[in-house]
Amino acid sequence: MSAPVIAFLGTGSMNGSILDGVLAGGADPSAVRATTRSATSAQRLAAEHPEITVLSEEDDERANLRAVDGADIVLLGVKPKGIQDLAASLAEALDPSTVVLSVAAGIDVAMLEQELPEGQPVVRSMPNTPSSVGRGVIALVPGTHAGEEALGLAKDVLRHSGTVLEVSEDQIGAITGVSGSGPAYAFFFAEALQQAGQALGLDEQTARLVAKETLAGAGELLHADDADPAALREAVTSPGGTTEQALKVFAEGGLVELTEKAVRASAEKGAAMEEQFRR
């Protein structure tokens, strides 16, 4: 069986992360196409991945149409406000069996299906940036016409980018809040740890190294199939010890409640975007 032809339209941060993961996972680069808005971005992407086809809208106004011609799956990665117009513009070039997959927050399945030909297989996704190193979380919501074959293709293409799971659309807010925005929470905490280390006398380089490697190492422990965050925490928390003292400060400061509040804020922003962009 020949490799599926994959088109990435709008290859910015998120689509670029998925592209990196897909290529690292062994996808046939000759079957991968990518578009960018500017010629400069296209040149940069082509330099990073010279084995794939890269087109820019600045050089060719039909770049997106050329990229999707004969594609088995198309990943829409432009900013949410542009997704619907992009989807509508592709109608003339899409094969009826082509799977259209959106990586944009705030754009639900119905909004995509409204802009595409009747019966077009649509899949909504919520990925995150660790997809670039094969450690992403990618949640999929199948559309009305995305049957087992269409969903299977999406899962197969994305599986090298990380953990792929199917969810219902009413769960996408929670996914957005926990995993879609989640990497930024981890990076923010790494920054806070670095600053705390510096405040206690470490130089900037040492504090950054210690914070990064500590979180990266903890992530490796969490990656085990049977890993339980609570059990891992308890294993390193000796009664009356230094770690217990630090965790008491987090608890007294309301870390659990603050985290839920932050995740809820992310989910609610996604819902608000859906209403903002709905036509």
Side-chain angles (χ1 to χ4, degrees):
M1 179 181 293
S2 59
V5 176
I6 311 168
F8 293 84
L9 308 189
T11 315
S13 177
M14 192 59 71
N15 243 2
S17 294
I18 296 173
L19 170 63
D20 290 343
V22 165
L23 291 174
D28 180 359
S30 68
V32 176
R33 308 160 183 174
T35 70
T36 65
R37 181 178 295 278
S38 74
T40 300
S41 296
Q43 291 167 4
R44 183 168 55 249
L45 184 61
E48 294 173 359
H49 300 294
E51 69 278 20
I52 72 172
T53 298
V54 181
L55 305 168
S56 81
E57 292 182 81
E58 184 177 348
D59 289 333
D60 181 358
E61 63 181 15
R62 292 180 61 84
N64 289 326
L65 296 179
R66 297 186 196 284
V68 305
D69 184 25
D72 295 294
I73 184 168
V74 175
L75 286 79
L76 309 184
V78 301
K79 293 187 181 301
K81 65 180 181 180
I83 286 285
Q84 291 159 286
D85 287 340
L86 174 59
S89 74
L90 301 176
E92 66 178 86
L94 288 171
D95 185 271
S97 65
T98 300
V99 179
V100 178
L101 186 148
S102 169
V103 305
I107 304 295
D108 66 22
V109 165
M111 294 160 73
L112 287 168
E113 292 181 335
Q114 178 180 317
E115 306 299 335
L116 292 164
E118 178 66 28
Q120 195 78 45
V122 168
V123 178
R124 179 185 185 181
S125 76
M126 177 49 63
N128 61 11
T129 54
S131 298
S132 64
V133 293
R135 294 287 294 274
V137 175
I138 306 146
L140 302 180
V141 179
T144 308
H145 308 288
E148 290 186 12
E149 184 175 349
L151 192 59
L153 174 60
K155 290 179 178 179
D156 189 58
V157 167
L158 297 170
R159 63 188 173 90
H160 294 297
S161 296
T163 299
V164 182
L165 64 156
E166 182 181 347
V167 300
S168 60
E169 195 147 45
D170 62 0
Q171 295 175 311
I172 207 71
I175 295 293
T176 300
V178 175
S179 67
S181 301
Y185 312 156
F187 303 147
F188 189 39
F189 189 59
E191 289 181 82
L193 280 179
Q194 177 187 331
Q195 291 170 14
Q198 288 178 243
L200 290 175
L202 296 178
D203 63 81
E204 180 179 357
Q205 183 175 0
T206 300
R208 179 179 295 117
L209 176 65
V210 171
K212 286 168 52 180
E213 292 303 312
T214 298
L215 287 184
E220 284 298 317
L221 292 174
L222 281 168
H223 191 58
D225 289 340
D226 59 349
D228 176 359
L232 288 171
R233 171 183 54 77
E234 291 168 0
V236 296
T237 307
S238 301
T242 57
T243 303
E244 183 183 65
Q245 194 64 31
L247 290 176
K248 282 182 179 179
V249 174
F250 282 131
E252 290 168 358
L255 179 63
V256 172
E257 294 79 10
L258 186 61
T259 300
E260 181 181 341
K261 184 177 179 180
V263 169
R264 189 178 298 278
S266 174
E268 290 175 349
K269 178 62 176 178
M273 289 170 64
E274 289 185 17
E275 293 308 309
Q276 176 187 350
F277 296 130
R278 196 177 305 282
R279 295 176 175 176

